[in-house]
């Protein structure tokens, strides 16, 4: 454009003219139109009649040429005020009865714009993308708004406005194309997304977007974009993509080298100047300040709409930079609605894209809260579009997540395997390139997805993964407990954007309305309290009314801005045509991503009217001005949604459900609407809801399935369907909400008539009672149900009897109530028979007499692993424990059980395995592994949310394992926790015994004795000290208190019982204790203990016995020293600090040094050994981690540690 | 100026209004209360029991019903330019501010403007100016269109086109009982009549429609002399007024220019006598009309053809809320003795501390009763004398009041029986504004539309 001097006329925006810096008053609307008509004619002569036509149409004034002439002469005077009348004719020349403008090409912005675009085309062809970009940037900067903005729809202006607008769109595309050629691919993606959203039917934009994605190494996203384009074109226009897009698709698939940019990015000059100058729709590009250091593009740039967010952006930048360097983090953006959390998230995503990281996003929404793993699917589905990649990503440990993305026939039993699979999916993606998972409105994500977030957040260590989420504060959410787990995790970083300052508010007002007067600003700041959303809505309203930001209009700010955001939105909505209200309501009901035909149908309007209303709503900033359709903010949606009366809303959801069904929506999508629709007893609705529940259950999203089924029940479901719904619901609820499950299973039990159905239900009910109801209920129910069964259902009855007895034991009921009568005889080899056998094996073990029979029953119960199929961790655990107490070798039973847990995805099974395998490892002296198992169990138990029965067992065992390791501090901390929960029943006894053992280690004999007294006896008595150690503890306490004779007597009694039982590892322990208490005369007991223990796997007990014998002064060196050396070695392997130190000391006393340091080296756990073994076979970190169900971080740390140790 | 906050009982009753108007209700103690209650005239501190900002007629009705139920009165207010007489009278009232009614549209063909009660003259003048039209606006762009229009409205075309109130073609009102009425000459005509110039709160006016005029540009500006020239300029202006045609509307001001950045530097802090005004008609005719005044050799002469829209800012009045005090009287004429009285009480040596001592030229169309007009069909008198105090420092306010009173007292012999209420900041008996029969008719109308006396009137 020409310099400052000379006349300039501008039509790219509102028509105006300047002479140098001074704006020229062009007069009234018609007079100005004359100039516009002449400019549009580009110097051609326009007859006066034609001008008059333009000005007045058919409504011509009397003296047409006179009127036109008078306008022209006024214009001439204004355009050239100083000229003599004749010379004034220079600018608007008269020619016959017409006029023409005489202006140089650079005096009119539109002319100059076209020239620049033309020149840019030449530069581009000449292979000068830099020059082309500069020219196009300059060209686009000429635009100040829609061309001839005061004359939209004027017949004389319409065609030219359309032509210029099209040219502008082309220029924007060419600019981005030029920048793409300069290697800015990753940076351009957001801008191209916005450009596509602006005009989604322009194929060139899609082409550029796909190209940019591809060049940014986002091939899957590129293909996804192509698919989006294809769907859109087909839905909107019913056509296929044109040849350019089709060719591109083939090239992307073939990874054609032709897709590379013409220039290598390294050769392109600094990027920032051009970027900063580009006018762009939201999200705006970072405008790098001139002072930005080279090589750090945009790193310090603050996007113009982000004010008062320096600290927050700093944290986000650091997190993204750390991730680029491989560090993981969970970063939560927390704050009240409207404070700008989503905006910060978008900025984080943009920064991540700049760093060439993979970014996956999801957004929680209230309507879709029931979509099982809905947020997870949003996150990962875009990466799973490509079939080959999908195969690759969903293999190995990630395979168990397959059900989340494909609906499989087999329902997942729980969410553990799925979570684990998803974890591996994320890990796999992160191993390709650092990964950002960005979740907006975490509080509205479905429960299953939230579980995944919690699961993942605990295992981020070692993954190059940044988990970013926004969380709304100030209100209660359905999954507050899960959210709290994320929020309270000490490793979670939290960003809390605060309200805008006065200065920040001023900045935003200035951008929208111009420099505000202080009073105006005060009103803006006071009414919005610094909430950016409120401010944006307010400024939008003020801008629409063209309010000047002066002091006089401060009251207007008070008037508009004092409203709550909902009311502000509704105020604007009321001023729009009725169609807009209908369309807004339809979008609010249909939810995000609704398509135009659905919206039209919901609002009862034709599509053209609907589209116009959508545009109105976008202009009013109620809807987002981009695809897919959605509200600018959830609060806005909420306002519109709540404005519809609730009964109407319910009907609207019913209609929406029908609509979604007709349009081939999934059962889940239909179901989401039915959840909010009125209940009508409609069988079809029951069916859809049940189907939705099955889908959710198959994905492992039990909570969602439960929600659908509860609604199906309320429809109400009738007859057989009701029974089915009740059964499915009850069984699912047992996984997530025991009491509710019982209620529904109970109702089903009442409703069922078939004895087989009733038997199956009774077992499920009794089983659930065991874990959720007060003592006595399970047992009584099972007893009644067993009695009610017809005679021929033998096996089912055995199952119920087994439940009756085992719950009697577990709940500490009086044996007279559940053991009365003759002992049942196991009949056949069905599941019930095995359950009964397991129970009886345990009862026999507790009696402590017939070890062989107990083992026989337990082996029968466990044979062929059949109980795994019907029982997630009650009877087979009981049977296995019976065998452990009997020293019967379980072989690889626990490994099989663990594999079963993972295969079935049962969290309950997994935690049961961890508890009892931990006990097994503890008995074997594998202390580090045992502790790891117990800790894992406690974590899983918290996730499962059970009744806490298993928890007290785990805490008790953990105290014991810590004591054995010699870590008394950890033992004390765990003991405190365990006692604080005041556990009852068998678990309570175990806790008190464990703490008593700790007291003994602390030398608090009286305290230990008191605890043993308080613990009481086991339900089945203390007949088997292999399970009930009260005598040993009592004896040790008495000995400590100096009451030796009593102690010896008690311990002798224990040894006698253990001899009767006959399990050598327990007997050896008893003998060793007896020997220690007896003192000098006890040597024989100690010798026997060593001998009895020798063939067992109880390594730590062996070490103790060897030490006890070896330190005795009555034992000669030649016998003692090898014993002590053996004790030292065993204690070292076990990681038992105290025993190790004692044995070392005893050796030293006999003048024998221990090789190496007397400090216990860090124990090499079985796990570490397994890692090293697998790594030795050439497997990578990921493979090893997947096989062992560990995180890559753990594996990597173990390998590094081993390497360091080897070098040392 | 300290005025006690509203009584606790009123505050408690006002609680029932909370949540109305989508939350745009401010009660004492709320963060927005102080901003919301502040009228344009910051001298007039008012402490209403609540401030409500309805945005629709139904919301107005809601506020009215809630206030009535709570035993509170209602004071409708646009900008609060005329808030002074309300001082201390709103303790038991809800201040109903109409700022949210921002609707503004112009029917170019019919030359009719439609404005919501939140629209300021500056907004209207700008919008009308772009299509070559003008309204009968006041001398400040900050004044609300509705309040000005229902009170009367003396603008720069007044002697040619009359009072703004009589250009009204329709008014939309929410009555005390919550009913919505569109009053025109044909429907609810009595109400329509009363709304034109009574200034009485007959209801909450939410929107007005009124006539615009095809005034694209006009010769306007000011002529100014150092105030030492007053003895020569004032009598000449008085004589000129007697002859001046209706196209010209001017005012004579003894001006103490405040030393603020808003005024041109060469004027800041000076004492001037200023004749400002506008002349409708072609340049030549205007020059002819103005010639006798120009003959007095003004130091400043800005009289020139300007876009009509520029006129709203001709007076260079302060923009934004300001402390202001106005007191006025209508004069039958300015004979020599009256001129002498002005010189004596406002000229050099008088010690007058007023920011502005003004004589506004009336007559012409203003004096000819509009046969189709409303309650204020014409304005009695040839001049309006106005004492205006615009000074931030409250210490100066009593002095300004004194000096205004002194000037008006000196002019009592030439004062008419009537008062022009919008230019009176001290509570006045509204009877003085109208002939007795007009007042009686208005009082009857008011009783009919607001029998319980819900609304607080500006005067009485």
């Amino acid at each position: 454009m020409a310099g400052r001097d000379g006349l300039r006329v501008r039509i790219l925006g509102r028509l105006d003219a300047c002479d140098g810096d001074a704006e020229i008053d062009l007069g009234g609307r018609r007079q100005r139109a004359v100039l516009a008509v002449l400019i549009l004619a580009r110097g051609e002569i326009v007859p006066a009649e034609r001008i008059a036509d333009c000005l007045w149409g058919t409504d011509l004034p009397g003296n047409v040429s006179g009127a036109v002439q008078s306008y022209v002469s006024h214009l001439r005077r204004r355009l050239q005020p100083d000229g003599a009348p004749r010379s004034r004719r220079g600018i608007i020349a008269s020619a016959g009865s017409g006029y023409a403008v005489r202006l140089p090409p650079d005096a009119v912005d539109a002319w100059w714009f076209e020239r620049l675009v033309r020149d840019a085309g030449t530069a581009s062809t000449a292979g000068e993308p830099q020059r082309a970009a500069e020219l196009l940037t300059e060209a686009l900067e000429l635009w100040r708004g829609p061309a001839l903005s005061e004359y939209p729809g004027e017949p004389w202006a319409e065609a030219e406005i359309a032509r210029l607008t099209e040219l502008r769109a082309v220029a924007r595309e060419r600019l981005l194309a030029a920048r793409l050629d300069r290697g800015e691919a990753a940076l351009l993606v957001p801008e191209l997304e916005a450009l596509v959203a602006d005009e989604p039917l322009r194929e060139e934009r899609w082409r550029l977007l796909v190209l940019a994605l591809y060049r940014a190494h986002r091939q899957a996203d590129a293909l996804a974009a192509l698919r989006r384009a294809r769907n859109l074109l087909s839905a909107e226009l019913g056509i296929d993509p044109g040849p350019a897009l089709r060719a591109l698709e083939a090239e992307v698939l073939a990874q054609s080298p032709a897709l590379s940019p013409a220039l290598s990015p390294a050769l392109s000059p600094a990027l920032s100047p051009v970027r900063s100058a580009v006018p762009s729709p939201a999200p705006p590009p970072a405008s790098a300040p001139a002072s930005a250091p080279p090589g750090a593009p945009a790193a310090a740039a603050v996007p113009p709409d982000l004010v008062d967010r320096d600290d927050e952006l700093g944290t986000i930048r650091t997190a993204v930079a750390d991730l680029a360097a491989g560090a993981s983090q969970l970063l939560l953006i927390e704050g009240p609605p409207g404070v700008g959390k989503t905006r910060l998230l978008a900025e984080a995503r943009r920064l991540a894209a700049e760093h060439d990281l993979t970014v996956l996003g999801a957004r929680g929404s209230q309507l879709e809260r029931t979509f099982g793993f809905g947020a997870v699917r949003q996150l990962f589905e875009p990466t799973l579009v490509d079939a080959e990649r999908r195969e690759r990503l969903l293999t190995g440990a990630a395979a168990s997540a397959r059900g989340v993305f494909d609906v499989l026939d087999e329902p997942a039993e729980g969410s553990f395997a799925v979570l684990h699979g998803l974890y591996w999916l994320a890990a796999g993606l992160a191993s390709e390139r650092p990964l950002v998972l960005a979740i907006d409105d975490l509080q509205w994500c479905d429960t299953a997805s939230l579980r995944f977030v919690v699961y993942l957040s605990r295992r981020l260590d070692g993954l190059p993964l940044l988990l970013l989420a926004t969380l709304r504060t100030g209100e209660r959410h359905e999954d507050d407990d899960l959210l709290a787990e994320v929020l309270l995790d000490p490793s979670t970083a939290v960003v809390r954007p605060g309200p805008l300052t006065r200065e920040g508010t001023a900045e935003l007002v200035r951008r929208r309305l111009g420099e505000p007067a202080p009073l105006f600003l005060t009103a803006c700041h006071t009414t919005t309290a610094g909430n950016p959303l409120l401010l944006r809505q307010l400024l939008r309203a003020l801008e629409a009314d063209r309010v000047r930001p002066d002091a006089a209009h401060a009251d207007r700010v008070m008037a508009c801005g004092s409203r709550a955001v909902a009311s502000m939105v509704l105020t604007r909505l009321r001023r729009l045509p009725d169609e807009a209200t209908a369309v807004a309501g339809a979008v609010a009901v249909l939810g995000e991503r609704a398509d135009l035909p659905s919206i039209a149908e919901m609002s009862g309007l034709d599509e053209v009217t609907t589209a116009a209303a959508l545009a109105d709503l976008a202009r009013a900033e109620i809807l987002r001005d981009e695809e897919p359709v959605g509200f600018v903010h959830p609060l806005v949606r909420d306002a519109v949604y709540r404005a519809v009366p609730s009964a109407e809303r319910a009907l609207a959801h019913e209609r929406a459900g029908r609509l979604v069904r007709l349009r081939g929506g999934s059962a889940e999508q239909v179901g989401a609407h039915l959840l909010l629709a009125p209940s009508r007893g409609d069988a079809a609705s029951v069916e859809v809801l049940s189907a939705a529940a099955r889908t959710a259950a198959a994905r492992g999203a039990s909570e969602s399935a439960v929600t659908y089924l509860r609604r199906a029940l309320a429809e109400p479901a009738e007859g057989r369907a009701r029974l089915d719904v009740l059964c499915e619901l009850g069984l699912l609820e047992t996984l997530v909400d025991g009491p509710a499950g019982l209620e529904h299973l109970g109702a089903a039990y009442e409703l069922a008539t078939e004895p087989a159905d009733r038997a199956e239900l009774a077992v499920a009910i009794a089983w659930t009672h065991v874990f959720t109801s007060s003592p006595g209920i399970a047992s009584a129910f099972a007893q009644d149900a067993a009695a009610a069964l017809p005679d021929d259902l033998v096996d089912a009855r055995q199952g119920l009897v087994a439940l009756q007895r085992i719950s009697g034991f577990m709940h500490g009921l009086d044996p007279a109530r559940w053991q009365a009568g003759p002992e049942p005889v196991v009949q056949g080899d069905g599941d019930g028979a095995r359950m009964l056998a397991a129970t009886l094996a345990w009862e026999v073990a507790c009696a402590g007499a017939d070890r062989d029979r107990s083992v026989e029953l337990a082996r029968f119960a466990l044979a062929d692993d059949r109980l795994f199929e019907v029982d997630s961790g009650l009877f087979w655990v009981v049977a296995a424990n019976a065998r452990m107490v009997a020293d019967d070798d379980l072989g690889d039973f626990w490994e099989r059980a663990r594999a079963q847990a993972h295969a079935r995805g049962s969290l309950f099974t997994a935690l049961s395995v961890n508890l009892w395998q931990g006990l097994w490892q503890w008995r074997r002296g594998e202390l580090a592994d045992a502790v790891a198992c117990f800790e894992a169990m406690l974590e899983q138990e918290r996730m499962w949310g059970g009744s806490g029965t298993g928890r007290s067992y785990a805490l008790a065992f953990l105290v014991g394992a810590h004591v054995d390791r010699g870590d008394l501090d950890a033992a004390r901390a765990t003991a405190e926790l365990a006692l604080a929960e005041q556990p009852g029943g068998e678990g309570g006894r175990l806790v008190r015994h464990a703490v008593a053992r700790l007291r003994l280690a602390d030398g608090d004999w009286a305290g230990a004795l008191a605890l043993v007294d308080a613990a009481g006896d086991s339900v089945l008595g203390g007949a088997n000290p292999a399970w009930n150690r009260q005598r040993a503890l009592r004896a040790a306490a008495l000995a400590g208190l100096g009451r030796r004779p009593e102690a010896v007597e008690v311990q002798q009694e224990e040894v006698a019982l253990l001899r009767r039982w006959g399990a050598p590892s327990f007997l050896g322990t008893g003998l060793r204790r007896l020997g220690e208490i007896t003192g000098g005369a006890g040597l024989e007991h100690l010798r026997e203990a060593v001998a009895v223990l020798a063939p067992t796997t109880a390594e730590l007990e062996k070490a103790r016995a060897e030490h006890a014998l070896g330190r005795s002064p009555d034992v000669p060196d030649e016998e003692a020293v090898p014993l002590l050396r053996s004790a030292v070695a065993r204690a070292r392997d076990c990681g038992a600090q105290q025993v190790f130190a004692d044995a070392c000391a005893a050796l030293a006393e006999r003048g024998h040094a221990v090789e190496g340091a007397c400090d216990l080296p860090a124990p090499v756990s079985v796990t570490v050994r397994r890692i090293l073994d697998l790594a030795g076979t050439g497997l990578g970190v990921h493979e090893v981690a997947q096989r062992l169900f560990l995180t890559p971080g753990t594996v990597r740390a173990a390998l590094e540690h081993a390497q360091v140790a080897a070098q040392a | 100026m300290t005025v006690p906050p509203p009584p606790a009982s009123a505050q408690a009753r006002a609680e029932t209004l909370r949540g109305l108007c989508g939350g745009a209700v401010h009660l004492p103690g709320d963060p927005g209360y102080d901003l919301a209650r502040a009228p344009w005239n910051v001298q007039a501190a008012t402490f209403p029991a609540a401030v409500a900002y309805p945005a629709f007629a139904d919301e107005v009705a809601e506020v009215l019903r809630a206030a009535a139920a709570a035993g509170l009165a209602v004071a409708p207010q646009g900008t609060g330019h005329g808030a002074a007489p309300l001082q201390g009278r709103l303790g038991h009232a809800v201040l109903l501010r109409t700022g949210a009614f921002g609707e503004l549209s112009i029917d170019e063909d019919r030359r009719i403007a439609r404005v919501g009660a939140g629209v300021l003259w500056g907004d209207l003048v700008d919008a009308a100016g772009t299509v070559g039209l003008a309204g009968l606006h006041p001398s400040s762009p900050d004044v609300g269109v509705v309040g000005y229009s229902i009170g009367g409205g003396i603008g720069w075309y007044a002697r040619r086109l009359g009072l703004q109130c009589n250009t009204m073609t329709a008014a939309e009102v929410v009555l005390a009982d919550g009913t919505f009425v569109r009053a025109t000459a044909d429907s609810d005509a009595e109400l329509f009549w009363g709304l034109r110039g009574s200034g009485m709160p007959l209801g909450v006016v939410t929107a007005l429609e009124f006539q615009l005029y095809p005034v694209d540009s006009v010769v306007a500006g000011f002529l100014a002399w150092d105030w030492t020239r007053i003895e020569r300029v004032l009598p000449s202006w008085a004589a000129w007024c007697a002859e001046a045609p209706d196209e010209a509307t001017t005012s004579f001001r003894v001006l103490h220019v405040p030393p603020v950045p808003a005024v041109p530097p060469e004027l800041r802090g000076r004492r001037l006598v200023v004749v400002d005004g506008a002349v409708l008609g072609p340049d030549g005719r205007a020059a002819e009309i103005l010639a006798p005044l120009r003959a007095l050799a003004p130091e400043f002469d800005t009289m020139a053809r300007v876009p009509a829209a520029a006129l709203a800012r001709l007076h260079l009045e302060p923009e934004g809320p300001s402390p202001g005090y106005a007191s006025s009287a209508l004069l039958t004429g300015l004979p020599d003795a009256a001129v002498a009285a002005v010189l004596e009480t406002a000229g050099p040596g008088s010690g007058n501390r007023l920011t502005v001592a003004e004589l506004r030229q009336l007559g012409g169309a203003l004096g000819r009763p509009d046969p189709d007009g409303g309650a204020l069909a014409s304005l009695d008198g040839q001049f309006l004398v106005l004492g205006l105090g615009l000074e931030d420092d409250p210490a100066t306010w009593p002095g300004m009041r004194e000096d205004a009173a002194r000037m008006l007292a000196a002019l009592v012999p030439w004062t008419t029986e009537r008062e022009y209420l919008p230019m009176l900041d001290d509570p006045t008996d509204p009877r003085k504004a109208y002939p007795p029969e007009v007042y009686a008719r208005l009082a009857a109308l008011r009783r009919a539309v607001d029998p319980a006396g819900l609304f607080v009137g500006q005067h009485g």
Side-chain angles (χ1 to χ4, degrees), chain B residues 12 74 76 80 103 107 162 165 167 178 223 339 390:
Chain B
V74 175
E103 183 192 2
D107 182 336
C165 65
T167 68
L223 309 170
V339 168
L390 292 170

Side-chain angles (χ1 to χ4, degrees), chain A residues 548 553 555-556 562-564 574, chain B residues 22 26 53 59 99 123 126:
Chain A
R548 289 186 192 214
H553 287 91
D555 190 55
R556 178 74 74 84
S562 301
R563 290 176 174 257
R574 274 180 76 164
Chain B
H26 303 270
Y53 282 99
E59 289 182 349
D123 305 329
D126 290 346

Side-chain angles (χ1 to χ4, degrees), chain A residues 14 25 27-30 78 519 522-523 526 545 548 550-553 555-556 558-560 562-564 567 570-571 574-575, chain B residues 21-24 26 31-32 35-36 53-56 58-59 78 97 99-100 102 108 118 120 123 126 130 142 307 313 320-321:
Chain A
R14 193 174 182 276
D25 179 7
R29 183 178 154 83
R30 288 213 172 98
R78 290 180 182 194
L519 186 68
T522 301
T526 305
D545 285 354
R548 289 186 192 214
D550 54 20
H553 287 91
D555 190 55
R556 178 74 74 84
M558 290 300 293
C560 300
S562 301
R563 290 176 174 257
S567 169
L570 296 179
T571 303
R574 274 180 76 164
R575 293 191 173 138
Chain B
C21 307
H26 303 270
L35 266 176
Y53 282 99
F56 301 96
D58 56 348
E59 289 182 349
R97 303 205 66 172
E108 233 180 295
L120 308 184
D123 305 329
D126 290 346
T130 59
D142 289 1
R313 293 173 174 86

Side-chain angles (χ1 to χ4, degrees), chain A residues 139-355:
Chain A
L140 287 165
E141 272 173 343
L142 294 171
W143 286 75
R144 296 159 296 126
L148 285 171
S149 57
E150 321 130 88
Y151 300 107
E154 288 282 2
W156 54 269
E158 221 162 25
E160 193 62 10
I161 289 176
R163 193 183 68 84
L164 287 167
T165 308
E166 168 68 15
L167 204 53
R168 181 191 196 186
V170 169
R172 285 169 72 186
E173 288 161 12
R174 287 204 188 148
L175 173 59
L176 291 176
R179 290 173 56 200
L180 195 56
D181 277 341
R182 291 174 50 233
E184 297 183 49
L187 304 177
L188 284 178
V189 169
E191 287 183 56
L192 281 164
E193 285 282 11
L195 203 63
V196 163
D198 254 0
E199 288 192 65
L201 296 180
R202 294 182 74 95
E203 288 191 45
E204 170 66 5
R205 298 184 174 190
W206 286 104
R207 191 186 74 82
L208 292 170
L209 174 62
V210 170
L211 209 50
L213 285 168
Y214 179 86
R215 287 185 190 166
H217 312 290
R218 293 168 61 182
Q219 196 182 336
D221 293 349
L223 287 167
L226 280 163
R227 208 182 59 249
R228 267 157 64 206
R230 185 180 286 280
N231 290 344
L232 188 107
L233 291 168
S234 137
E236 297 286 339
L237 306 174
I239 58 167
D240 281 328
L245 273 189
R246 286 208 304 276
L248 182 60
E249 185 163 18
E251 285 176 322
V252 169
L253 285 169
Q255 307 198 345
S256 158
L259 296 176
S260 305
L263 268 178
S264 118
L267 297 176
S268 73
L271 309 178
S272 21
V274 172
R275 276 215 349 269
S276 64
V278 176
S280 149
S287 53
S291 61
V302 176
D305 62 323
L306 273 175
V307 300
D308 285 336
R309 292 290 177 260
D310 293 352
D311 293 351
E312 292 81 358
L313 284 174
T315 306
I316 288 170
R317 275 196 201 99
T318 308
V320 170
D322 286 354
L323 174 64
S328 63
Q329 194 172 2
L330 195 163
L331 184 60
L332 214 53
I333 305 170
E334 191 194 42
V339 80
K341 301 183 291 297
T342 303
R343 182 65 190 85
L344 282 174
L345 192 72
E347 183 57 16
R349 296 185 60 159
R350 195 186 64 78
L351 285 168
E354 269 183 15
H355 280 82

